Amino acid sequence: MLNVSPLSAFNDNYIWLISNGRQAAVVDPGDAAPVRTALAERGLELTAILITHHHRDHTGGIAPLLADWPQAQVFAPAAEPLPVPGARPLADGETLVLPGIGLELAVLAVPGHTLGHLAYHGQDMLFCGDTLFSGGCGRLFEGTPVQMHQSLARLAALPGHTRVYCAHEYTQANLAFCHAVEPDNPELKKYMQKVAKLRQQGIPSLPTSIDQEKAVNVFLRAHLAGVRARAQLQAMMELNEDHEVFAALRRWKDDF
């Protein structure tokens, strides 16, 4: 039976562990230590490593893990430098089946945070790295606001019940920003209360869902008149296109 669970790493990263029987895959292992511990405790064998983008906090654990599980196959973005020799490059539109797991995933190009960033979608699950966060989105280190806005729109078009496995526990800080933009959003207020209770108990706020994010995440709501009005007020300029609203929101969040 397929199981997905978070492994905490660094200050706020999540490495997602996907297992089926005694076989396991991990998504974005920036640190090998929590993966080793989880595999040992659960009696699992690592068969696959899935990478969304090249940042070190998502790739740093690959080589040490391969030293222990040399048979594990690494999948990584074709548009970025491969993290290790022998990694299988992936591009938009491809489909992969995780070895030993049987999980079939569609490969989605979602540039913005980095130019070659990928997301993986299948069986009502989305592994989106640093593109979409609960209540937020990744900083634009390499891509443009237009690219990120288009990437987020692509993810928002997935089925609403899709579970979203983000790579960081940023939810509370993101929701505080969303509240500054939409202080009267009732769904946002309810979600903030839910997340606060989870975090007080030390429980991850993730996964979220596409429907949940469309209801609260202002970066998916740039098309709404109220969000546009608040962004224009903050930017002190007229914003005519949705991607301009998104860009203004991203600049605001960077300084929030």
Side-chain angles (χ1 to χ4, degrees):
M1 182 177 177
L2 201 65
N3 179 269
V4 182
S5 57
L7 307 179
S8 295
F10 308 120
N11 293 326
D12 49 40
N13 283 66
Y14 287 132
I15 301 165
W16 293 102
L17 175 67
I18 309 167
S19 61
N20 190 355
R22 295 194 62 191
Q23 313 299 307
V26 287
V27 183
D28 287 346
D31 185 4
V35 177
R36 285 195 183 107
T37 298
L39 295 175
E41 290 177 348
R42 305 177 198 189
L44 298 174
E45 176 188 357
L46 186 66
T47 59
I49 297 172
L50 191 59
I51 300 301
T52 62
H53 66 291
H54 64 83
H55 286 164
R56 184 70 178 171
D57 64 319
H58 295 251
T59 64
I62 299 174
L65 290 173
L66 290 177
D68 291 341
W69 289 276
Q71 78 287 351
Q73 189 165 358
V74 180
F75 301 87
E80 298 184 347
L82 293 178
V84 290
R88 176 183 160 186
L90 296 172
D92 184 60
E94 292 190 64
T95 300
L96 74 144
V97 178
L98 289 179
I101 309 298
L103 174 61
E104 184 175 304
L105 295 167
V107 181
L108 307 175
V110 285
H113 182 66
T114 67
L115 288 176
H117 202 301
L118 297 179
Y120 304 95
H121 173 247
Q123 292 190 24
D124 299 327
M125 296 181 288
L126 173 68
F127 299 94
C128 55
D130 286 0
T131 296
L132 175 64
F133 297 128
S134 189
C137 70
R139 288 179 180 264
L140 305 184
F141 287 120
E142 298 175 13
T144 67
V146 171
Q147 286 176 314
M148 182 63 106
H149 182 252
Q150 291 173 342
S151 294
L152 292 174
R154 187 176 193 185
L155 299 183
L158 295 173
H161 58 269
T162 301
R163 298 184 300 280
V164 181
Y165 296 90
C166 319
H168 290 273
E169 183 59 72
Y170 291 161
T171 309
Q172 281 188 295
N174 287 339
L175 295 181
F177 174 71
C178 290
H179 187 259
V181 180
E182 287 194 290
D184 299 321
N185 182 338
E187 291 301 316
L188 175 58
K189 291 178 181 179
K190 286 194 296 184
Y191 189 48
M192 292 178 77
Q193 292 172 353
K194 174 185 175 181
V195 169
K197 289 180 181 178
L198 289 173
R199 298 306 296 148
Q200 285 169 4
Q201 299 172 55
I203 300 172
S205 65
L206 304 169
T208 179
S209 72
I210 293 295
D211 271 346
Q212 178 68 77
E213 294 311 303
K214 288 166 73 173
V216 303
N217 188 333
V218 295
F219 293 104
L220 303 186
R221 295 165 65 81
H223 60 286
L224 298 178
V227 174
R228 178 178 299 228
R230 287 286 292 163
Q232 288 184 148
L233 185 64
Q234 176 69 20
M236 296 185 291
M237 61 184 293
E238 186 175 352
L239 304 170
N240 296 310
E241 303 291 339
D242 291 349
H243 67 83
E244 294 175 335
V245 177
F246 168 81
L249 291 170
R250 186 61 259 183
R251 289 192 299 269
W252 185 1
K253 176 64 165 64
D254 288 345
D255 296 329
F256 187 72

